[in-house]
Amino acid sequence: AKELLNGQQVVLLRCEDMNMSGSLYRAKLKYANFKRKKTNSNPRHGPFHQRAPSKIVWRTIRGMVPHKTARGAASLDRLKCFEGIPHPFDRKKRMVIPAALKVLRLRPERKFCKLGDLSNLFGWKHAALITRLEDQRKVKSAAFHKKKVAVTRARAESVKKVKVSAEDQKILENAGFA
């Protein structure tokens, strides 16, 4: 939320695999309690209870941002949440937020659950589809990585084999390529 407010574009991927502290049973009770809250005169007026993990995460982050101000609304426009890793992002470099790692946040004996499991219990129907697509993506990604490592290794070996004359070496050093 802080990064969004500072003007950073943030894309959250694989929202279904996010961990929540507490057992699944506890999370289920909390979400069921949240689902009970609706407008008495006309429930269609909201609040709306999304089932998809990406929407749940989006709404959670909305609670951390002053979304009713122009600045907050603009910051929420810079946030994108997805289940799995869809096309444009599967080829981009990703990063993990170290402060959000389960190993650093939760003690080992504590219970936790995945957001995808909670969503599944409340009617999210695309878990199997996302799992299938992710398996396909992982196969492609592994093949790409294997090829990339081979190319990098071959390039490193060819750079070692190249002999540079003393005259060319002097020119390179003058240019800053020592």
Side-chain angles (χ1 to χ4, degrees):
K2 180 62 79 178
E3 290 295 320
L4 289 169
L5 289 168
N6 287 338
Q8 193 70 256
Q9 291 273 349
V10 176
V11 179
L12 294 174
L13 302 170
R14 292 197 302 211
C15 289
E16 74 281 0
D17 284 337
M18 282 190 182
N19 290 328
M20 299 167 55
S21 60
S23 66
L24 181 60
Y25 179 74
R26 183 172 181 270
K28 191 167 112 176
L29 290 178
K30 284 171 75 173
Y31 201 78
N33 196 32
F34 168 62
K35 263 187 62 181
R36 270 189 31 241
K37 291 166 175 52
K38 57 189 177 193
T39 307
N40 213 4
S41 56
N42 188 353
R44 283 180 295 182
H45 289 176
F48 303 110
H49 316 289
Q50 302 290 346
R51 304 315 200 264
S54 60
K55 301 283 188 183
I56 293 173
V57 170
W58 185 88
R59 188 184 168 128
T60 304
I61 293 171
R62 188 189 77 171
M64 304 174 195
V65 171
H67 66 277
K68 293 186 179 182
T69 65
R71 175 174 170 252
S75 71
L76 273 181
D77 289 339
R78 289 190 287 272
L79 172 68
K80 288 183 171 55
C81 301
F82 297 100
E83 289 96 16
I85 302 181
H87 165 63
F89 305 108
D90 60 351
R91 307 212 183 252
K92 293 193 173 145
K93 184 125 178 89
R94 297 182 284 276
M95 68 180 281
V96 175
I97 304 164
L101 290 172
K102 178 183 155 262
V103 197
L104 300 176
R105 279 280 162 216
L106 283 180
R107 290 175 49 185
E109 72 274 5
R110 297 293 185 191
K111 291 184 178 177
F112 70 96
C113 64
K114 293 205 179 300
L115 187 54
D117 297 340
L118 179 69
S119 292
N120 232 350
L121 290 173
F122 283 98
W124 180 56
K125 294 177 173 57
H126 305 292
L129 170 69
I130 294 294
T131 306
R132 185 169 53 81
L133 291 174
E134 277 298 287
D135 290 342
Q136 288 174 1
R137 181 194 63 78
K138 285 175 185 168
V139 168
K140 282 183 189 170
S141 180
F144 170 78
H145 182 70
K146 193 174 182 180
K147 184 179 171 186
K148 181 182 170 187
V149 167
V151 167
T152 308
R153 189 174 295 132
R155 187 177 192 284
E157 286 173 9
S158 62
V159 166
K160 280 182 188 173
K161 288 179 185 174
V162 171
K163 301 286 185 227
V164 181
S165 67
E167 185 181 322
D168 290 339
Q169 185 64 34
K170 194 169 233 174
I171 293 169
L172 284 171
E173 285 174 5
N174 290 340
F177 298 102

